[in-house]
Amino acid sequence: MSLTVLVVDDQGIVRAGFAAVIDAEEDMTVVGEAADGAAAVRLAGELAPDVVVMDVRMPELDGIAATRIITGGENAPRVLVLTTFDLDAYVFDALRAGASGFLLKDVHPAELLQGIRVVAAGESVLAPSATRRLIGHYASGGGGPAAGEASPELDSLTASQRNVLTLVASGLTNAEIAEQLGITVGTVKSHVNALLRKLGLRDRVQATILAYDLGLARPNPPGTHL
């Protein structure tokens, strides 16, 4: 079955361009287009797409507010935010609003298509610059409590789930986590699903943000490969 996609952008030519690229794929279908956040919210409810490709700066209702409304419902679609402006506020606000990914509009079409597939599968995707800014935010003291500080969220996790959450926050894939912990990929997936459920999170992006907010994860030292 094709992935259904709703494309949201206030610039008609940009919206049409994204829609054409997406619709050309055999496994994707653009089911609707919206020029502002209010229309995006309405169409997301009517069309129930798998993924919403969302612009940030729009009239009436911006993409961040629209994302928060769309992801707040039951059986909500995944939201992949695209923007021209690589600003800290956009990165953090989009992810905290429930977006599963953040890419810049100048991304290569192949990366956009891959991003849609990734978020549709329940994973997350971040532009490299957004990842650096997210890490930098916490490195400069913008994060939460000191590592290991008690919190109700962490208390609900088993030791294994805490370990997996820490490694998810460091950017490792399930396969890399399995290799590091000496367990199967299936076991890692089970731990990830369990911790997302316990913490009330949608995906790995939100898990990463929470891990930093709670002090469970810390930025890598300068020069460390992310």
Side-chain angles (χ1 to χ4, degrees):
M1 294 178 62
S2 292
L3 291 175
T4 55
V5 182
L6 172 63
V7 179
V8 186
D9 197 292
D10 65 334
Q11 298 183 55
I13 190 168
V14 174
R15 191 170 64 248
F18 286 144
V21 169
I22 295 167
D23 237 355
E25 296 297 293
E26 292 184 358
D27 63 335
M28 296 185 194
T29 301
V30 174
V31 293
E33 299 180 30
D36 59 66
V41 171
R42 176 175 55 81
L43 288 176
E46 293 175 0
L47 302 173
D50 296 311
V51 177
V52 179
V53 175
M54 180 77 74
D55 186 21
V56 172
R57 296 181 62 172
M58 295 183 293
E60 294 192 41
L61 188 70
D62 66 35
I64 303 299
T67 295
R68 186 172 292 109
I69 295 171
I70 289 171
T71 60
E74 296 218 354
N75 299 316
R78 302 283 172 173
V79 176
L80 176 59
V81 170
L82 295 183
T83 181
T84 306
F85 305 94
D86 186 17
L87 302 177
D88 288 350
Y90 289 163
V91 176
F92 296 114
D93 289 349
L95 299 180
R96 293 186 188 282
S100 294
F102 183 97
L103 295 174
L104 298 180
K105 285 186 178 179
D106 62 1
V107 68
H108 190 279
E111 294 179 64
L112 168 61
L113 296 170
Q114 179 62 15
I116 292 172
R117 294 185 179 100
V118 167
V119 299
E123 299 290 338
S124 54
V125 59
L126 286 177
S129 58
T131 302
R132 289 194 299 270
R133 295 162 98 88
L134 186 64
I135 299 301
H137 170 74
Y138 289 97
S140 64
E149 186 171 320
S151 70
E153 292 93 339
L154 294 183
D155 289 343
S156 70
L157 302 182
T158 66
S160 295
Q161 289 163 0
R162 275 199 191 206
N163 288 339
V164 169
L165 176 57
T166 301
L167 296 174
V168 165
S170 71
L172 297 186
T173 65
N174 286 346
E176 291 169 336
I177 294 173
E179 181 178 358
Q180 183 156 331
L181 296 181
I183 57 180
T184 67
V185 173
T187 300
V188 174
K189 289 181 179 179
S190 295
H191 285 321
V192 171
N193 290 335
L195 70 88
L196 291 178
R197 184 177 64 254
K198 285 183 177 181
L199 298 175
L201 304 174
R202 286 174 55 86
D203 52 40
R204 297 166 82 99
V205 167
Q206 291 190 338
T208 297
I209 291 174
L210 182 64
Y212 278 101
D213 279 344
L214 296 178
L216 183 62
R218 286 295 174 192
N220 291 313
T224 301
H225 177 67
L226 295 178

